[in-house]
Amino acid sequence: MNLLILGRGKTGSLVAEVARERRHHVRALSAAENLGGSALTPDVLATIDVVIDFTTPAAVGANAEACIRAKKNLVVGTTGWYDQVPRLREMVLLAKTGFLYGSNFSIGVNLFFEIVVTAATALKYDYSSQIFERHHAQKKDAPSGTAITIQKIVRESGGKEKEVEIISFREGEVVGMHEVVFNSAADRIYLCHDAKSRRGFAEGAVRAAEWLAGKQGFYEFRSVWREL
């Protein structure tokens, strides 16, 4: 496939590397080369099969709109823009294009989400819950999209409206660690996912692009990752 990677940061660069390893043709644009989605012209997108976005929350809207107008499928690994989901979903469905987003493209994290679904039953038995997330100092959004997804899972699966606190840390070069704690008077349950590198995010994003090619619809990675 012909892939266009938006973002030349650490994750975007690794996505491009993984895509080349999987024998795709890759072009990449940095933020400076694509201010406000300005580089995403019909000519630039003409030969592209799928666009993969690992940019910033502020850039996602304009990038997505340009891709939707050009009827190009888009995978978004950027987090922190989810207030725009209803608007972009409507645009995608009207344009009959394909759009896939996720708070985390790691297969391990998505398995972790399913473990949390089961563990959240603890809230029905007088447990409380807290979420701790740690990321590198340069991460722009806090709490992380993954932590927000975990919070949503705990609330929905726990069957209670009780507040589930997220505590965020930004330090050093931490790739990504998420801990969920369920606490009662009798005991404490710890769940943890610790990313050792960004490789899992990159591989998941490229496989998501392969899956999305030629499809129409608005998808969340949590719902489709088993089909990759």
Side-chain angles (χ1 to χ4, degrees), residues 125-173:
Y125 296 92
D126 298 322
Y127 285 76
S128 61
S129 180
Q130 282 183 304
I131 299 164
F132 299 88
E133 60 100 351
R134 292 171 169 79
H135 284 86
H136 54 90
Q138 294 77 36
K139 185 170 175 61
K140 299 185 185 304
D141 56 320
S144 69
T146 302
I148 292 170
T149 299
I150 293 169
Q151 183 186 58
K152 181 180 178 182
I153 291 170
V154 173
R155 286 173 173 167
E156 291 176 350
S157 302
K160 290 189 177 183
E161 294 299 321
K162 186 183 292 185
E163 183 61 32
V164 180
E165 182 183 21
I166 300 176
I167 300 172
S168 300
F169 300 91
R170 297 290 175 264
E171 53 194 17
E173 295 297 323

Side-chain angles (χ1 to χ4, degrees), residues 68-213:
I68 294 166
R69 284 195 299 270
K71 296 189 179 296
K72 294 298 178 179
N73 285 6
L74 176 65
V75 171
V76 179
T78 308
T79 59
W81 58 275
Y82 300 134
D83 58 325
Q84 299 185 65
V85 164
R87 179 178 68 85
L88 293 178
R89 178 189 288 114
E90 183 177 357
M91 291 179 65
V92 167
L93 297 180
L94 285 173
K96 296 183 178 179
T97 58
F99 189 109
L100 192 157
Y101 76 99
S103 59
N104 198 305
F105 282 84
S106 160
I107 298 301
V109 164
N110 282 272
L111 282 168
F112 186 70
F113 288 156
E114 297 195 5
I115 293 167
V116 174
V117 168
T118 301
T121 306
L123 267 64
K124 299 178 181 179
Y125 296 92
D126 298 322
Y127 285 76
S128 61
S129 180
Q130 282 183 304
I131 299 164
F132 299 88
E133 60 100 351
R134 292 171 169 79
H135 284 86
H136 54 90
Q138 294 77 36
K139 185 170 175 61
K140 299 185 185 304
D141 56 320
S144 69
T146 302
I148 292 170
T149 299
I150 293 169
Q151 183 186 58
K152 181 180 178 182
I153 291 170
V154 173
R155 286 173 173 167
E156 291 176 350
S157 302
K160 290 189 177 183
E161 294 299 321
K162 186 183 292 185
E163 183 61 32
V164 180
E165 182 183 21
I166 300 176
I167 300 172
S168 300
F169 300 91
R170 297 290 175 264
E171 53 194 17
E173 295 297 323
V174 179
V175 174
M177 177 183 286
H178 293 86
E179 301 168 277
V180 189
V181 179
F182 296 95
N183 192 45
S184 76
D187 56 16
R188 187 177 291 114
I189 302 168
Y190 291 99
L191 303 175
C192 179
H193 180 276
D194 185 10
K196 297 191 287 185
S197 76
R198 292 176 173 80
R199 181 87 190 183
F201 312 147
E203 289 180 347
V206 175
R207 292 174 67 181
E210 294 167 352
W211 180 88
L212 189 64

